[in-house]
Amino acid sequence: MHDPMAMRPFFGYNTGEYLKHWLSFADKPKLKLPKIFNVNWFRTDDNGMFLWPGFSENSRVLEWILQRCDGEDVARECPVG
C-alpha cells in the first residue's frame, strides 16, 4: 500500500475516525488553527547542487516562520500555496 507519510504503523486506532476528526475542523469557522509551513530541503540550482546549505542554517527557516507569524510579507507565491 502506498504510504507517502509513513504513518500507517503508528495508527493504533480507527484511521477513518482520525481523519473524520481532523476534517471536521472545516465546520468550525471560529476555530484558531495553527499555521502550517512548507520547506523544500531538496531544491537544487541549475547545476544540480542543493540550495540548502545544511542543518547549521535551520535558524533561517525559523526566522522566516516567525516573520510570517508576525504578519511580515516575506513569502513568495508558489504552486503549493
Side-chain angles (χ1 to χ4, degrees), residues 30-56:
K30 294 185 180 191
L31 190 63
K32 185 175 179 184
L33 298 174
K35 295 183 183 290
I36 298 174
F37 298 93
N38 179 32
V39 177
N40 183 356
W41 303 107
F42 304 103
R43 196 168 150 212
T44 57
D45 62 16
D46 293 335
N47 299 319
M49 301 297 293
F50 289 114
L51 293 174
W52 192 249
F55 292 111
S56 63

Side-chain angles (χ1 to χ4, degrees), residues 7-73:
M7 288 300 295
R8 254 185 354 171
F10 301 102
F11 283 135
Y13 38 82
N14 184 306
T15 306
E17 291 295 321
Y18 174 82
L19 293 174
K20 182 177 156 187
H21 165 73
W22 288 107
L23 292 174
S24 73
F25 285 9
D27 300 329
K28 303 171 184 172
K30 294 185 180 191
L31 190 63
K32 185 175 179 184
L33 298 174
K35 295 183 183 290
I36 298 174
F37 298 93
N38 179 32
V39 177
N40 183 356
W41 303 107
F42 304 103
R43 196 168 150 212
T44 57
D45 62 16
D46 293 335
N47 299 319
M49 301 297 293
F50 289 114
L51 293 174
W52 192 249
F55 292 111
S56 63
E57 296 291 329
N58 285 352
S59 61
R60 290 178 14 196
V61 173
L62 295 174
E63 178 184 22
W64 177 77
I65 289 172
L66 293 173
Q67 287 173 331
R68 295 287 316 273
C69 290
D70 288 341
E72 294 181 39
D73 186 21

